[in-house]
Amino acid sequence: MNIEENKVVGITYELKVSKTDEESAPFSAEIRDKDDPFYFLFGSSGLPEKFENLLLQKKVGDTFNFTLEVEEAYGEADDEMIMALPKDQFTSERGFDPTMLEEGSFLPLMDEDGYSMQAKVVKDMGSDLLLDFNHPLVGFKLHFDGEVIEVREASEVEIAHGHVHGEHGEDH
């Protein structure tokens, strides 16, 4: 079975990142091995379009090795995605531990539609937190080296919800 729209895809990979303006070799940012593979719903993943295009029509056992340029991946940082929010929105009653509010930490958040997102704490400004909602990989070239380990039909529920369910996805 080939990777195409509305298929659940399982892959293993090593992701290395590099900056366009630096001469240094790419450095490892993430490894998803057979003990912790990555699963997504092809066509609804929210991953860069070029990433999915380069996997299109691959099947179990196929390997891949490609680089996404910054503009093909998550682009450059957007200053409008950096904003100050009142610190009192991040209380223990709302599930936030004080250590989560330290500079450099990533806060697990939800948008108004209930979708998971995260923000990096840039600075504690007293009564406000300066948060960066840009994707953590903005400004980086992404170098993928991996293998397709599973391709299956997505269920009607997975297609309707736009994500993988079950063992390698969400249960709700």
Side-chain angles (χ1 to χ4, degrees):
M1 179 178 299
N2 291 351
I3 295 174
E4 58 189 40
E5 188 84 13
N6 292 329
K7 300 285 192 238
V8 171
V9 179
I11 59 174
T12 59
Y13 63 83
E14 179 176 13
L15 167 62
K16 293 181 179 180
V17 299
S18 63
K19 290 280 192 177
T20 303
D21 58 350
E22 294 178 8
E23 294 293 321
S24 61
F27 60 91
S28 186
E30 181 178 39
I31 295 176
R32 300 297 293 262
D33 59 18
K34 291 190 190 234
D35 293 331
D36 184 29
F38 177 66
Y39 281 82
F40 63 97
L41 180 60
F42 193 88
S44 300
S45 67
L47 296 166
E49 183 178 343
K50 180 82 176 205
F51 177 87
E52 286 197 348
N53 288 341
L54 291 168
L55 292 179
L56 186 64
Q57 296 302 314
K58 291 197 177 297
K59 59 187 178 309
V60 172
D62 285 352
T63 60
F64 54 90
N65 185 304
F66 54 79
T67 297
L68 300 182
E69 297 297 325
V70 171
E71 59 277 0
E72 297 170 325
Y74 294 100
E76 297 290 350
D78 180 351
D79 290 342
E80 291 185 17
M81 298 292 287
I82 300 173
M83 55 193 73
L85 294 176
K87 196 190 292 186
D88 61 11
Q89 290 185 6
F90 305 98
T91 63
S92 57
E93 293 80 28
R94 293 185 174 174
F96 295 96
D97 181 285
T99 60
M100 296 170 76
L101 307 180
E102 295 173 358
E103 291 178 18
S105 297
F106 285 90
L107 295 176
L109 303 171
M110 270 192 198
D111 68 13
E112 58 274 357
D113 296 320
Y115 291 104
S116 296
M117 58 188 293
Q118 66 179 2
K120 182 178 182 180
V121 179
V122 177
K123 185 167 180 69
D124 184 337
M125 303 185 318
S127 61
D128 290 337
L129 289 176
L130 186 63
L131 301 178
D132 184 349
F133 287 88
N134 282 292
H135 191 282
L137 295 174
V138 297
F140 287 100
K141 288 171 56 173
L142 308 180
H143 310 265
F144 288 93
D145 186 11
E147 180 181 355
V148 178
I149 62 166
E150 185 175 345
V151 180
R152 68 167 174 81
E153 295 287 343
S155 70
E156 289 181 23
V157 172
E158 288 172 320
I159 293 169
H161 289 186
H163 58 254
V164 179
H165 285 201
E167 179 183 359
H168 301 292
E170 296 185 30
D171 288 315
H172 57 97

